[in-house]
Amino acid sequence: MIVKNAELETVCGITSKLPENQGVEIAFSGKSNVGKSSLINGLLNRKALARTSSQPGKTQTINFYKVNGDFYFVDLPGYGYAKVSQREREKWGKMIENYLHTSKQLKIIFLLIDIRHEPSDNDKMMYDWICKNGFKPVIIATKLDKIKRSQLQKNLKIIRTKLSVQSGDLIFPFSAQTKQGRDEILDYIETVVNQAIPE
């Protein structure tokens, strides 16, 4: 898939009404500092459309990016950042849950996991929660350039085991630095978008 254009179309805070988009929605979730903004910028071939921050927990809104004029990337708030109050975390949780329950166009939820580390309890909770809401998360293992090639299969196995990922379910290793994995992820998105559009 070639990304011709992308723009931030809608930003929803805790009290905002979610948009009723006509195009397919593809959501990105993951803990703070896992490289979500870098992934979105990398896929869209833009340097700073999704705002990256050295301060985790910065994304406190649901951001809708319109891609190629006909479908959406949906950036969900990062979870698991300790310096955010419990009350704030609960608000974000409700906001994400509301989105998962009400979006009629959501087709894929990508769950980002840092390939260098065993998935956290929060990652496992998010994975199970997405499944409970009727979706099958697709894993993107970020920060691929930070490990040796010889560690790849071992680290992917740890992710599969910890999250209880079903055999045959997809995991895409990705590096924001080298763009390794970008084409595979975009090809998968293109297939899903095309399947969702009626002939």
Side-chain angles (χ1 to χ4, degrees):
M1 181 173 75
I2 296 166
V3 175
K4 298 187 184 92
N5 53 66
E7 59 178 338
L8 177 60
E9 186 174 275
T10 312
V11 176
C12 289
I14 285 157
T15 57
S16 307
K17 186 176 184 296
L18 291 164
E20 293 183 16
N21 294 321
Q22 298 308 305
V24 168
E25 291 175 359
I26 291 144
F28 295 83
S29 84
K31 69 182 178 192
S32 300
N33 218 18
V34 75
K36 201 150 41 70
S37 299
S38 298
L39 168 70
I40 291 170
N41 285 329
L43 292 176
L44 298 177
N45 221 7
R46 299 283 286 276
K47 279 205 166 71
L49 186 61
R51 280 162 291 187
T52 57
S53 172
S54 56
Q55 182 189 347
K58 192 81 173 165
T59 304
Q60 300 179 20
T61 52
I62 300 179
N63 299 334
F64 293 80
Y65 299 91
K66 194 164 195 178
V67 184
N68 287 352
D70 61 5
F71 66 94
Y72 293 87
F73 280 3
V74 183
D75 186 8
L76 300 174
Y79 56 81
Y81 185 51
K83 287 190 181 172
V84 175
S85 72
Q86 181 66 29
R87 193 158 157 236
E88 284 298 306
R89 287 202 293 270
E90 283 170 7
K91 280 184 190 169
W92 296 356
K94 283 183 182 143
M95 186 162 66
I96 296 169
E97 190 167 24
N98 180 43
Y99 170 67
L100 296 185
H101 284 165
T102 59
S103 171
K104 296 183 177 72
Q105 299 294 342
L106 180 59
K107 302 298 177 200
I108 314 171
I109 302 176
F110 285 118
L111 177 60
L112 279 63
I113 305 289
D114 187 330
I115 199 166
R116 298 172 298 176
H117 309 298
E118 182 177 306
S120 66
D121 290 343
N122 280 325
D123 291 326
K124 174 66 174 155
M125 206 184 307
M126 190 69 181
Y127 182 86
D128 292 344
W129 190 50
I130 292 168
C131 293
K132 204 173 79 179
N133 277 281
F135 293 94
K136 184 182 276 193
V138 176
I139 307 294
I140 296 181
T142 62
K143 305 185 191 268
L144 177 60
D145 52 284
K146 308 282 190 198
I147 63 166
K148 294 176 184 158
R149 192 176 294 180
S150 59
Q151 296 174 286
L152 175 61
Q153 293 309 320
K154 176 172 138 290
N155 289 30
L156 290 177
K157 190 178 178 192
I158 289 168
I159 291 172
R160 283 188 182 280
T161 304
K162 173 79 178 183
L163 297 180
S164 305
V165 175
Q166 300 298 306
S167 174
D169 284 1
L170 295 169
I171 298 185
F172 292 103
F174 174 79
S175 164
Q177 296 297 319
T178 67
K179 301 295 185 285
Q180 191 176 337
R182 178 180 186 268
D183 291 346
E184 291 83 350
I185 296 167
L186 285 175
D187 287 347
Y188 176 70
I189 290 170
E190 183 175 37
T191 302
V192 172
V193 169
N194 288 342
Q195 283 172 350
I197 297 169
E199 295 286 320

